[in-house]
Amino acid sequence: MWLEPQASAQKVREVAANLAAVTVDPLCDRMAAAAAAGGPDAAHAVGTALVLSALDASALDGDMRRTLGLSWLWVAACRGHAGSRMELGRAISAETASEEPRRPQAELSVLAQHWFGAGTSSGATEPRIPGDATRASRGSGGRVVGDRPPRVTPPQPLTEFTRDPVEAERAPVPSSPRRGRLVLPHGIGDAKSAEGVALAKRYGVLVDGPVPCVGRVPAPGEILEFFDRKWPWAMNVARHLQNQADQMTLAGIGQQGDPVYGFNTGSVTLDPILFVGDPGSGKTRLAKAVADLFGVPRLLVPCGGSADHGGLSAFSRGWSTARACAPVQAMAEHRCANPAMILDEIDKASRPGGQNGSIMATALSMLEEAQEYYDSCLMAPVDLSGISYFGTANDDKLLDAALLDRFDVIRIPRPETKHVPAILETIREDVIERLGIHPSAFPETTKEDIRRFRELFERSSGSLRVLRKAFRSMLGVKAGLQVRADMDQDRVLN
């Protein structure tokens, strides 16, 4: 419920009544009953109590308490409680960093920004709830660096910020600086032709003015903590990303009027990264996770086996398949100027110089430092400077030298046997999220299961792909046994 937008008073009353019917413990139940019939302060109190109690509960009970607590904070936020609005914004901001968020990134960005804006405008002064999404930041060495709101704020899909310089000296720094990019600074070429008019309608969001930038800069230590939990064998990637995040933080990107750094209208954009590793080492999944961690939408472009420029380049006008290049497609689809492009298995694409073109040659022109790419369909230069490029490859030696020079090459180590429990937990979370069920309804993984998967992992030379297939197969078998056991129990009771 807490990921829903602000609702009417009647809807909020109905939700509060339903939440009050959930049994937790006598104290929380009494608080919930009072909150259902009370005002925003009562709902905030029960929400805060539940979120705090989740920190000391078991994984299953803690997840239930946290979800219930955030739902009560949503009730309080809809009723006008400033502190609840800020807490809800932080929780939604943290959701954008999850590997598989429950909602599209752009939708979460807008929702988080709404609650932060509402909380700021109503004068939120309440302290943050310690722990969970608002837990104190930790440095790379694990040291707590402060129990205070991080300088980096949640995703901000905003438009260009402009203000008169004289007025700027007198006026305070705004809490929500608007930002955006002119993706098509000169508009679409031959705009008055029939094809030009049709393309203007199709890509109108990019033509009508500055295109919003989305994304978030993770708080200090957040990246290292995320990788330590999800990708412990790839901490070299975490350190590289943390370095870029620190640079964006110092530049003020993603911040709102910070008293130390001020603010910056730049976008959350990472330098091009090429993930190199053996087959089955999880490179593609890691690239997706990085994009999600920084809160930017992503588009996967399969490059393996492509004998031409594939789906990356534009298809010129005059053909029934005419369309803009893939980055423009991604910007139009997600309505933002800084999505991430994942060039999957780019080492298996044809090299530059082929008769039908090549993905490598197209990528090379897109990765030029000028970042102004001429789109043959739009017949106009496009600003691609906000795009983050991630490539995956098994052998970087197969890439053209000029293209390879555009990337920061990071080699992904193979996971070790000791990492199997972390891998299994991540796969389990993915399946639960995909099916949309509560963790309590899902079969647990036993110590014997882990032992067997460690043996399989070693036999498969550390392939994550083999491990993932086997784990999902095991879950299906256990789920079938559980269903039949439940049916037999029903027959006995009836």
Side-chain angles (χ1 to χ4, degrees), residues 170-230:
R170 299 193 303 264
V173 175
S175 60
S176 299
R178 298 181 297 171
R179 56 199 178 100
R181 276 181 196 279
L182 284 172
V183 173
L184 286 166
H186 308 295
I188 292 179
D190 195 16
K192 294 184 179 180
S193 66
E195 289 181 308
V197 171
L199 289 170
K201 291 181 180 179
R202 190 190 308 179
Y203 302 106
V205 66
L206 309 180
V207 178
D208 296 337
V211 181
C213 294
V214 301
R216 61 186 297 273
V217 181
E222 182 180 342
I223 296 175
L224 297 175
E225 181 182 358
F226 173 80
F227 271 78
D228 184 58
R229 180 167 49 90
K230 296 278 189 179

Side-chain angles (χ1 to χ4, degrees), residues 449-467:
D449 293 331
I450 294 177
R451 184 189 66 79
R452 292 176 179 175
F453 280 112
R454 279 175 171 160
E455 293 177 355
L456 174 63
F457 185 75
E458 292 175 351
R459 291 198 304 269
S460 64
S461 301
S463 173
L464 297 182
R465 192 173 293 119
V466 171
L467 197 64

Side-chain angles (χ1 to χ4, degrees), residues 37 108 111-112 124 133 163 178 196 237 260 271 301 334 349 408 419 493:
L108 290 174
L111 194 58
R163 189 168 56 177
R178 298 181 297 171
V237 180
V260 176
D271 294 336
V301 180
H334 297 288
D408 292 331
H419 298 134
L493 294 176

Side-chain angles (χ1 to χ4, degrees), residues 99 227 231 234 237 275 282-291 412:
E99 191 167 356
F227 271 78
W231 303 84
V237 180
F275 297 110
K283 301 180 296 297
T284 304
R285 194 162 171 271
L286 178 57
K288 294 177 180 179
V290 171
I412 310 300

Side-chain angles (χ1 to χ4, degrees), residues 3-41:
L3 290 174
E4 297 294 327
Q6 194 162 357
S8 64
Q10 176 62 30
K11 176 67 174 179
V12 172
R13 284 194 295 270
E14 294 175 359
V15 171
N18 292 333
L19 293 175
V22 179
T23 301
V24 180
D25 56 53
L27 177 59
C28 284
D29 292 349
R30 288 194 297 271
M31 293 176 64
D41 291 338

